[in-house]
Amino acid sequence: MNLSNPGNKSYFCGQMNITILAIESSCDDTSAAVIRDGNVLSNCIATQEIHQQYGGVVPELASRAHQVNIIPIVDTALKEAGINKKELNAVAFTRGPGLMGSLIVGVSFAKALAMGLDIPLIEVHHMQAHVLAHFAELPHPTFPFLCLTVSGGHTQIIRVNAPLEMEILGQTIDDAAGEAFDKTGKILGLDYPAGPIIDRYAQQGKVVFDFPEPQIPELNFSFSGLKTSILYFLRDQLKANPSFIKENMADICASVQDRIVSILMNKLTTAAELTGISEIAIAGGVSANSGLRSALIQQGEALGWKTYIPKFEYCTDNAAMIGITAYYKYLEGEFSSQDISPKARWGM
Amino acid sequence: MEVLENIGIDQLPQAVERILAHTVGGRNKLVFSGELGAGKTTFIQALCRKLGVEEAVNSPTFSIINEYSYFDGALGSERPVYHMDLYRLRHIEEALEIGIEEYLYGPDWCLIEWPEVIESILPDEVLRIKFELATNSTRKILIL
């Protein structure tokens, strides 16, 4: 039985054991996963640990690092899944958007493997995959649902009508929400990535400083102005008290986090009102933020939403979500030809 | 060197014109330095509009390189514009491994924020633009 099928449409088409190898190499991490009938058998991300096994080092970001990682990570994913590559029915890969040099590694590898095994090739849109990461586990949202995708590089509200039918309702016109965290961290002298550090401080602080909410039309977002207002605020405070940041770190973090979260939640709430949809999901790395999680749950209780937050390993970049998306494409017969190339910029 | 004083959001188009005057003859590798919040991305958004980029121009801090396209009237074809942000890179090796030299020494526009990490491999003819905070709403722009 296939637990990951969306409830309101039957995808059962007589063929069981559709096994897909998925590759994700759009940015920092190299990841490989094996998906069978929509269920995740393995989901491996190249980390120092895997590298030590092969005696290498990991530059944080490099297409050459992807070159080094890709075979070991695919090997590991197949082994963990207990699958021989001859059992695979298709090879899926992230076509974009992402860093061209990094994407090329995944695309070339997927093409070569699909050709060698004489099985279909499936291209996947990275942002579509973030949304479908919700189908890696139960319970998952029912269609139509809204998904707020928030990461270091993206901030979008997406209306999802069916697995492969999505519409962007709003997105950032400048910085992403994750970037607002990271840049605030830079101003505060915190390490990169600063999101988790700000979150930890915020949990010990109170919301006492008021940063303005940008007035952006429709369902779009802007975080660039917030960054600037934090900068001016701190500059003025530091003039009066040079240890202002040190003395108020927890409260500053709590105030900044509260504002970022309220910007996200206000737009999401408007989107829910406008569409009349009450199945609400979040995705992307920032959905690990405790403030966003509790705000979503609270708002859900207040407004009668059913809310969905994926497990952390499915929030950040991972190949399982590529495999889940590819599974739906496989069922629809959406395959790619061997002359395909990556797309660094790719609208949904 | 040219200095543009008192540039607020309303003076951006004129500032873009002044900078484009320095790019004639294919001098299309531009590096932008200045503090966080100094207005680098905002300026690049205006510059891209002027070049004819129609799609959304947003921050490449996470993606490192954003690629846009515009129609080049002189060439009669679509050309890419590369908008880079090297803020997250700590070592020049990381820049080399993403193939930065192919962009720097290629034919197309490169607009680079936080270029310090690649200082040693920048082409000689690179146009340097420096942003300084003047007041909360205006900037001083130095074209070097």
Side-chain angles (χ1 to χ4, degrees):
Chain A
M1 187 185 146
N2 175 12
L3 294 174
S4 282
N5 267 350
N8 49 358
K9 187 172 175 186
S10 172
Y11 281 93
F12 186 72
C13 54
Q15 186 183 2
M16 287 297 278
N17 290 347
I18 297 164
T19 310
I20 298 173
L21 172 73
I23 313 285
E24 149 68 30
S25 70
S26 64
C27 201
D28 295 4
D29 301 321
T30 324
S31 176
V34 177
I35 310 297
R36 173 167 281 174
D37 298 330
N39 299 306
V40 181
L41 299 187
S42 65
N43 182 32
C44 304
I45 297 172
T47 61
Q48 196 68 37
E49 202 182 334
I50 283 166
H51 257 273
Q52 278 159 356
Q53 211 175 305
Y54 286 81
V57 284
V58 199
E60 188 180 85
L61 183 138
S63 44
R64 259 173 252 176
H66 286 300
Q67 289 277 16
V68 174
N69 288 334
I70 197 152
I71 304 270
I73 203 73
V74 165
D75 236 19
T76 309
L78 287 169
K79 268 191 204 123
E80 267 190 29
I83 294 284
N84 185 294
K85 59 182 182 293
K86 295 197 176 73
E87 297 174 66
L88 295 173
N89 298 98
V91 181
F93 63 95
T94 307
R95 187 182 179 196
L99 201 53
M100 185 51 88
S102 299
L103 291 167
I104 285 174
V105 177
V107 176
S108 309
F109 178 85
K111 283 163 92 165
L113 186 63
M115 184 164 210
L117 295 171
D118 197 20
I119 55 176
L121 189 62
I122 302 174
E123 67 184 89
V124 171
H125 192 291
H126 183 81
M127 296 310 293
Q128 199 170 38
H130 266 302
V131 174
L132 294 179
H134 282 281
F135 294 87
E137 283 185 317
L138 287 170
H140 47 61
T142 51
F143 300 102
F145 68 93
L146 295 180
C147 187
L148 171 71
T149 310
V150 269
S151 68
H154 300 276
T155 306
Q156 298 180 326
I157 297 177
I158 300 165
R159 179 192 167 112
V160 190
N161 297 321
L164 303 174
E165 202 192 311
M166 301 184 191
E167 184 191 345
I168 298 176
L169 302 181
Q171 59 189 322
T172 182
I173 58 165
D174 41 52
D175 298 356
E179 194 176 340
F181 278 107
D182 290 331
K183 294 221 160 144
T184 301
K186 164 90 177 172
I187 300 169
L188 294 173
L190 304 174
D191 283 343
Y192 183 94
I197 307 173
I198 291 179
D199 194 7
R200 277 200 298 279
Y201 277 116
Q203 290 172 43
Q204 297 152 21
K206 286 199 215 62
V207 181
V208 290
F209 306 115
D210 186 32
F211 299 108
E213 177 163 6
Q215 300 304 312
I216 305 298
E218 296 164 355
L219 295 171
N220 288 330
F221 299 94
S222 165
F223 289 98
S224 179
L226 177 65
K227 170 185 75 188
T228 314
S229 69
I230 294 167
L231 189 72
Y232 294 154
F233 169 76
L234 291 173
R235 190 191 54 190
D236 294 345
Q237 295 296 327
L238 286 170
K239 267 187 213 154
N241 172 12
S243 10
F244 180 81
I245 291 181
K246 221 172 120 192
E247 289 167 12
N248 296 282
M249 186 64 100
D251 289 345
I252 297 169
C253 289
S255 306
V256 169
Q257 176 158 310
D258 181 72
R259 177 50 78 205
I260 295 173
V261 168
S262 73
I263 292 171
L264 294 170
M265 288 307 303
N266 288 346
K267 293 287 183 169
L268 187 57
T269 305
T270 309
E273 280 166 8
L274 289 173
T275 57
I277 294 172
S278 58
E279 293 275 315
I280 313 284
I282 56 172
V286 179
S287 40
N289 181 275
S290 69
L292 181 59
R293 282 174 178 245
S294 56
L296 181 75
I297 292 164
Q298 266 178 26
Q299 190 76 317
E301 283 167 1
L303 299 175
W305 296 347
K306 276 186 85 178
T307 56
Y308 302 89
I309 306 172
K311 248 201 321 209
F312 184 68
E313 61 173 304
Y314 299 126
C315 288
T316 51
D317 289 353
N318 67 88
M321 66 184 195
I322 304 299
I324 298 282
T325 310
Y327 171 67
Y328 292 116
K329 293 190 117 179
Y330 189 101
L331 295 176
E332 298 287 341
E334 286 187 27
F335 302 120
S336 308
S337 65
Q338 275 283 349
D339 61 2
I340 197 164
S341 62
K343 281 177 110 166
R345 290 283 275 187
W346 188 12
M348 241 165 74
Chain B
M1 184 174 109
E2 184 177 350
V3 181
L4 310 176
E5 302 264 13
N6 293 321
I7 304 298
I9 200 91
D10 295 334
Q11 288 76 42
L12 264 183
Q14 293 95 301
V16 166
E17 295 278 358
R18 289 306 312 143
I19 283 175
L20 284 176
H22 290 263
T23 64
V24 288
R27 196 180 175 199
N28 60 6
K29 307 295 180 284
L30 278 57
V31 297
F32 298 83
S33 55
E35 298 285 299
L36 208 68
K40 300 181 292 297
T41 305
T42 306
F43 185 87
I44 288 173
Q45 287 176 330
L47 178 57
C48 286
R49 289 287 164 266
K50 182 72 192 171
L51 290 175
V53 172
E54 285 170 6
E55 65 214 280
V57 173
N58 42 35
S59 170
T61 301
F62 185 77
S63 52
I64 314 286
I65 303 175
N66 281 353
E67 184 180 333
Y68 318 120
S69 66
Y70 71 104
F71 186 80
D72 187 311
L75 294 170
S77 64
E78 289 273 328
R79 298 301 308 172
V81 179
Y82 299 105
H83 178 192
M84 307 184 195
D85 184 333
L86 309 183
Y87 178 81
R88 294 204 295 140
L89 306 191
R90 296 210 164 98
H91 305 288
I92 192 166
E93 287 77 17
E94 294 177 315
L96 293 172
E97 288 181 0
I98 58 175
I100 196 99
E101 290 160 301
E102 290 185 39
Y103 298 98
L104 289 178
Y105 294 90
D108 298 305
W109 283 92
C110 289
L111 311 172
I112 309 170
E113 300 185 52
W114 300 96
E116 291 74 11
V117 71
I118 56 162
E119 185 56 47
S120 64
I121 56 165
L122 288 174
D124 292 338
E125 69 280 8
V126 71
L127 185 63
R128 293 168 192 275
I129 297 149
K130 199 163 174 240
F131 288 76
E132 289 177 5
L133 282 170
T135 67
N136 282 4
S137 58
T138 64
R139 304 289 182 267
K140 182 169 160 182
I141 302 177
L142 296 90
I143 308 168
L144 306 167

